Amino acid sequence: MTAGPFTIALAGNPNVGKSTLFNALTGSRQHVGNWPGKTVEKKEGRTTINGRDIVVVDLPGTYSLAAHSVEEIIARDFIICERPQVIIVVVDAANLERNLYLACQILELETPAVLALNMSDEAHKRGVHLDPQALSAALGGIPVVETVGSRGIGLDALKAAIQTALAGSSQPFHLAYDALIEAGIARLAARIGAYPELTAVYPARWLALKLLEADTGIVAQLEREYPALIGAARTIAQNIAETLGDELEILIADQRYQFIGSVISASVTRTGRAQITPSERIDTILTHRIWGIPLFLALMWVVFQFTANVSAPFVDWIDGVISGPITRWASTLLTALGLGGSWVQSLVTDGIIAGVGGVLVFIPVLTFLYLAIALLEDSGYMARAAFIMDRVMRILGLHGKSFLPLLIGFGCTVPAIYATRTLEHEQDRKLTGFLATFMSCGARLPVYVVFASLFFGARAGNLIFALYLLGIVVAFVTGWIMKHLIYRGQPPHPFVMELPPYRLPTLSSVLRTIRGRIQEFVQRAFTIILACSVIIWLLMALPATLDWRDFNQVSISDSWFGAISGVAAPAFAPAGFGQPEAAGVLLSGFIAKEVIIGTISQIYGGETADEADSSTPSTLADDLREIVYTFGQAAVLTAQEAINILPRTANLLPGVDLPEANFLPLEAETDAASGQMNQALTQAFTPLSAVAFTVFVLLYVPCLTALTAMRLEFGVRWMLYQVVYTAAVAWVGAVAVYQGGLLLGLGGG
Amino acid sequence: MTPTLREVLNYFEKQSRALSLTDLARELHIEPALLQEMIGYWVRKGKLRQVGADSCGSCGCSAGCPLPTTLPRRYELATDNLPTGVGFCPRSGS
């Protein structure tokens, strides 16, 4: 028993404002230390109530008193051993359901208590109204007060309630369990009564309840000295469990929850928006069983319009700056250093600037993609997307959880493969990792943008959307085949998902997300892509005849690059892109998908710099003026394209023909900025073979890093299956598109 | 009438489709917060498992994390020994 001043303890769940209330009660009269032998912080303070000196102890926040954690043990031991005169049970008034389980457990300890309904202002704002009197009646008459610790509201009432509790006028709280359980408690409590040393420490009813619940902490503490008592508890518990048909511990917990449910019904009313939240209203449409999927697809369509078309003016602008002024400046500098026309100039302009610059051009595309994803993620929609697609996955016999790694695959295949660790069965992990490679990662997007913009103009977004859909379809078909032919088994158990409320995305969060991902992209451009660009340039400069006198003087077809590509090229002829250059581009894509764009720039746009250099002499001032002017143009065109998403989306509906904004002619701007690369590509590809090429890029072997991740996660054999399967599917897909297109008269020329 | 703990667990064992916590609460005629508490009981007992985004991002690499999205918190039957609340951030090595 505590001597000297009275001690009161604050107990409650974490984040209920317990410490704020403690501060409000004790002011600056605080001492902070650790609980004996523990690293858990112990806060103690002093206050006075009616001239009485009171010690206030802030117990660690816990969810129960089941002794599962250090905090729970500290809180329980303090209440039992230190015997505070009063316990203030602090609950979050807006979330009473989540706090009453612990409150019940504390009240069952039979220590005088006060219930503080803290943060009651927040509860009122959310339309949650509590009836303290009804609550008090349900909890055995303990004083119940509403408080707002942060503003010191309700402190006087709380102090008055503490005094009432100190007077000991209320009866100990006894939750009424099932009659059979009550009989068991009574029998065991009677036996406990025979041990006065136990009843001196523990309330007999509480100890009986804990022993019947088989509380590990209490049982371990008493097992050695009181084996007969523990044995009796086990026998009683077993008899009750056999009669009632379940474990006694579960039955007791269950009756606590039933009790909490009845307390909530009797003392809590919800008004206004608290009945159905705005998020729930939105979810009735967005996660609707039938409409949810078409709405998801429509939203994705808008995302790809946004990504491909809105970013296009800035892609052209960066392209213009890199292939124009920057290349000219580099050439001028190298000429000034006496290296003009040498292999060094070729390496810098045709190799490094064309390769790395060709990739950096797509920063706007990825910025807009990640902006769209960040907005969807921050708003809370992404969680819904996973939820909606779970149903589709199940229809196809796949595990619902597989969608989440697949969703991640739209960003990058590598983390998608690691994300399969959340799946419990190895076969699900392997299968999902296998399918994740068909989700079109961010690195593939620039390739689509190049071909879609060049061959389909304003309809580029449609092709890109179709490619993303194709990836999903191929993944689902593959999954369905594998699940039904290779991995037959029981359907997976469902899950319950906690959908976060919708909220307005914050600018800082969105910008942080974009910055992080773009930084990574730029980092890759200056490491992997730079290295690959140099290697590709070297292969294109080295003559296949090994005659070093022809170094950097040979055509692509006579270079090592041409020789290697020429071996693979015939295999792609049925798909409409059997040129060695195209084959070489695809071979380079094994390393990383971004390399494809770098290689395309080097092969098809390699002479642009030279031409720009020789045909358009200009001063530094001219260049800077041009950069600023074209930036302004790009900004206007971006706004125009953003506005045009609306009419373009609406015009998909039959009978709708809304006009599009046309401040500046987009085609003229594009033509001005497009260089020899576009001309070379239109000569090398037809619209049909371009589509076949992008289909191949979508489906074929993921990058080297993804294959490494696959080897680490699933083994070499599985990785090799992946290489062979994806290459085969990509080839079949590209050939089917090209040959099918020819059959339909879509033309190869 | 509040559903029993067993009824809550039975949903996870017998139903064939995923639900949001709110939908399940509506189906079982219970306040979502109380349902979450009852699910929490089964999580503590090891019968259910909580999987979700809570642990992702805790590795301190969230700014440059390539994951395009965090995962919503989900509850499912714990049918093996995977630890609860497991994260998978590849950079944290978890």
Side-chain angles (χ1 to χ4, degrees):
Chain A
M1 183 73 88
T2 310
F6 283 118
T7 301
I8 62 173
L10 287 163
N13 289 23
N15 304 319
V16 294
K18 207 158 49 65
S19 293
T20 322
L21 203 57
F22 172 79
N23 292 337
L25 271 175
T26 60
S28 59
R29 300 170 66 193
Q30 292 182 9
H31 169 73
V32 180
N34 276 2
W35 292 91
K38 306 282 193 303
T39 53
V40 180
E41 187 180 80
K42 180 183 184 183
K43 282 163 76 177
E44 211 173 278
R46 282 178 181 266
T47 190
T48 47
I49 298 177
N50 267 0
R52 266 177 162 171
D53 196 18
I54 308 275
V55 174
V56 186
V57 178
D58 188 14
L59 295 177
T62 63
Y63 291 102
S64 81
L65 292 183
H68 283 132
S69 65
V70 182
E71 288 81 4
E72 287 175 358
I73 292 167
I74 288 172
R76 192 163 87 177
D77 285 355
F78 184 84
I79 296 170
I80 292 169
C81 303
E82 301 296 323
R83 289 283 185 94
Q85 275 72 24
V86 176
I87 299 173
I88 304 173
V89 184
V90 187
V91 297
D92 175 359
N95 286 296
L96 199 57
E97 298 91 341
R98 308 200 68 172
N99 293 230
L100 278 184
Y101 194 85
L102 174 69
C104 282
Q105 287 186 316
I106 293 172
L107 295 179
E108 284 186 317
L109 275 163
E110 299 181 9
T111 304
V114 171
L115 190 73
L117 304 171
N118 200 28
M119 302 195 276
S120 52
D121 55 341
E122 192 58 35
H124 291 307
K125 270 188 215 161
R126 287 158 66 173
V128 179
H129 300 286
L130 302 166
D131 181 346
Q133 284 180 330
L135 205 47
S136 172
L139 298 174
I142 65 161
V144 177
V145 289
E146 292 187 274
T147 57
V148 183
S150 57
R151 287 153 55 195
I153 295 172
L155 280 189
D156 290 340
L158 181 62
K159 287 182 177 180
I162 292 169
Q163 271 195 302
T164 308
L166 280 170
S169 55
S170 58
Q171 293 293 313
F173 169 76
H174 286 173
L175 198 154
Y177 294 98
D178 179 275
L180 202 58
I181 298 173
E182 282 292 343
I185 293 170
R187 270 177 63 198
L188 197 59
R191 288 197 68 155
I192 291 166
Y195 302 97
E197 69 278 18
L198 284 181
T199 53
V201 180
Y202 305 105
R205 178 185 165 86
W206 180 84
L207 184 57
L209 198 56
K210 288 288 121 184
L211 292 177
L212 290 175
E213 278 185 287
D215 182 288
T216 46
I218 297 287
V219 170
Q221 218 169 325
L222 305 182
E223 201 160 27
R224 185 175 289 178
E225 285 185 58
Y226 305 95
L229 185 63
I230 302 295
R234 282 184 182 140
T235 307
I236 295 170
Q238 200 175 341
N239 290 340
I240 298 172
E242 278 170 12
T243 311
L244 296 180
D246 208 341
E247 291 170 48
L248 187 51
E249 184 201 342
I250 293 168
L251 291 168
I252 290 172
D254 205 20
Q255 292 192 15
R256 284 199 191 112
Y257 285 115
Q258 300 297 318
F259 172 74
I260 292 168
S262 66
V263 171
I264 297 296
S265 304
S267 58
V268 181
T269 50
R270 289 180 165 80
T271 57
R273 293 191 305 164
Q275 293 288 340
I276 295 180
T277 64
S279 285
E280 286 170 16
R281 275 184 219 281
I282 297 169
D283 275 342
T284 55
I285 301 165
L286 288 185
T287 64
H288 190 272
R289 270 191 215 182
I290 296 164
W291 303 118
I293 292 168
L295 284 171
F296 168 72
L297 292 175
L299 204 54
M300 289 300 112
W301 190 87
V302 171
V303 166
F304 293 119
Q305 290 296 317
F306 185 67
T307 302
N309 294 351
V310 178
S311 66
F314 275 109
V315 169
D316 290 338
W317 176 72
I318 297 180
D319 186 27
V321 172
I322 291 175
S323 62
I326 289 179
T327 307
R328 274 199 296 274
W329 297 341
S331 296
T332 307
L333 182 67
L334 289 168
T335 304
L337 293 171
L339 294 168
S342 70
W343 64 266
V344 178
Q345 184 183 9
S346 174
L347 170 64
V348 172
T349 56
D350 302 338
I352 295 170
I353 294 180
V356 176
V359 173
L360 291 179
V361 157
F362 293 95
I363 285 176
V365 175
L366 293 172
T367 304
F368 279 93
L369 174 69
Y370 290 136
L371 171 66
I373 288 176
L375 289 173
L376 291 176
E377 186 186 341
D378 259 31
S379 66
Y381 181 76
M382 273 302 186
R384 272 79 183 175
F387 182 69
I388 295 161
M389 292 309 288
D390 169 75
R391 292 178 191 149
V392 181
M393 307 293 279
R394 277 167 194 282
I395 291 166
L396 294 166
L398 295 172
H399 200 297
K401 285 189 291 180
S402 297
F403 181 71
L404 297 163
L406 298 186
L407 190 68
I408 288 167
F410 284 122
C412 179
T413 310
V414 178
I417 289 167
Y418 286 118
T420 59
R421 290 181 192 177
T422 52
L423 296 159
E424 59 207 53
H425 298 297
E426 192 186 348
Q427 64 180 53
D428 285 327
R429 281 201 291 274
K430 282 183 168 175
L431 180 57
T432 307
F434 203 91
L435 305 186
T437 61
F438 292 117
M439 299 297 112
S440 193
C441 67
R444 284 175 245 198
L445 183 59
V447 185
Y448 309 154
V449 171
V450 164
F451 285 92
S453 305
L454 187 60
F455 291 98
F456 298 95
R459 289 172 296 147
N462 297 2
L463 175 64
I464 295 168
F465 177 65
L467 285 165
Y468 273 79
L469 268 190
L470 179 66
I472 295 170
V473 169
V474 170
F476 281 0
V477 170
T478 302
W480 191 88
I481 292 169
M482 291 177 81
K483 198 74 186 178
H484 287 83
L485 297 182
I486 302 168
Y487 285 141
R488 289 180 213 174
Q490 289 294 312
H493 290 294
F495 57 72
V496 169
M497 191 180 277
E498 213 177 280
L499 294 178
Y502 288 101
R503 59 177 185 268
L504 279 176
T506 60
L507 185 66
S508 61
S509 164
V510 170
L511 290 180
R512 192 170 55 243
T513 308
I514 295 171
R515 193 184 60 200
R517 290 166 190 166
I518 294 300
Q519 264 176 359
E520 187 147 309
F521 180 74
V522 173
Q523 205 176 358
R524 280 171 73 83
F526 283 101
T527 50
I528 295 173
I529 311 301
L530 177 64
C532 290
S533 299
V534 173
I535 292 167
I536 299 283
W537 175 85
L538 204 60
L539 289 173
M540 290 199 297
L542 283 171
T545 56
L546 290 178
D547 185 347
W548 294 100
R549 286 169 302 181
D550 293 335
F551 182 74
N552 197 34
Q553 304 295 323
V554 289
S555 64
I556 292 173
S557 55
D558 293 330
S559 67
W560 275 29
F561 184 89
I564 296 166
S565 308
V567 175
F572 299 113
F577 46 90
Q579 320 90 316
E581 291 86 351
V585 166
L586 292 173
L587 288 175
S588 71
F590 271 96
I591 301 162
K593 290 292 177 280
E594 296 96 326
V595 177
I596 292 178
I597 283 298
T599 312
I600 285 177
S601 299
Q602 285 177 274
I603 294 175
Y604 295 102
E607 290 170 22
T608 310
D610 296 344
E611 286 201 346
D613 187 33
S614 59
S615 62
T616 53
S618 58
T619 63
L620 181 65
D622 287 341
D623 282 341
L624 292 175
R625 202 176 303 118
E626 181 70 11
I627 288 170
V628 173
Y629 175 72
T630 51
F631 181 87
Q633 266 191 326
V636 173
L637 284 167
T638 297
Q640 177 177 300
E641 287 303 296
I643 293 167
N644 283 339
I645 288 177
L646 187 67
R648 276 181 202 150
T649 307
N651 289 346
L652 290 175
L653 300 169
V656 179
D657 189 19
L658 295 178
E660 292 184 12
N662 195 16
F663 312 136
L664 273 177
L666 181 65
E667 294 303 325
E669 199 280 338
T670 305
D671 286 342
S674 63
Q676 187 169 327
M677 187 176 96
N678 286 357
Q679 285 174 25
L681 282 173
T682 46
Q683 283 165 11
F685 291 87
T686 64
L688 187 58
S689 66
V691 174
F693 184 82
T694 51
V695 166
F696 193 90
V697 170
L698 162 73
L699 300 173
Y700 89 125
V701 187
C703 66
L704 214 54
T705 321
L707 287 178
T708 307
M710 202 150 229
R711 181 178 60 79
L712 291 172
E713 291 293 304
F714 313 128
V716 175
R717 206 164 61 162
W718 195 254
M719 183 201 74
L720 292 175
Y721 289 156
Q722 178 83 38
V723 172
V724 173
Y725 181 79
T726 51
V729 167
W731 188 85
V732 169
V735 170
V737 166
Y738 186 70
Q739 298 297 334
L742 289 179
L743 281 174
L744 292 170
L746 297 177
Chain B
M1 182 69 180
T2 308
T4 64
L5 281 166
R6 280 286 172 203
E7 283 169 340
V8 172
L9 188 63
N10 279 349
Y11 165 78
F12 287 86
E13 289 170 340
K14 291 183 180 167
Q15 296 300 308
S16 58
R17 66 191 176 100
L19 280 183
S20 72
L21 193 78
T22 321
D23 286 343
L24 180 59
R26 205 170 286 138
E27 208 162 280
L28 294 174
H29 307 289
I30 183 176
E31 282 297 324
L34 186 54
L35 173 62
Q36 206 166 7
E37 281 302 290
M38 295 175 87
I39 290 173
Y41 173 84
W42 286 120
V43 171
R44 287 195 295 277
K45 286 279 286 178
K47 294 281 184 186
L48 296 181
R49 175 167 60 221
Q50 179 189 306
V51 186
D54 283 0
S55 53
C56 188
S58 59
C59 63
C61 68
S62 54
C65 185
L67 300 178
T69 186
T70 49
L71 307 178
R73 194 157 53 185
R74 289 157 293 128
Y75 303 97
E76 62 190 19
L77 271 185
T79 50
D80 66 359
N81 293 325
L82 195 73
T84 54
V86 68
F88 56 82
C89 183
R91 290 184 187 180
S92 66
S94 57

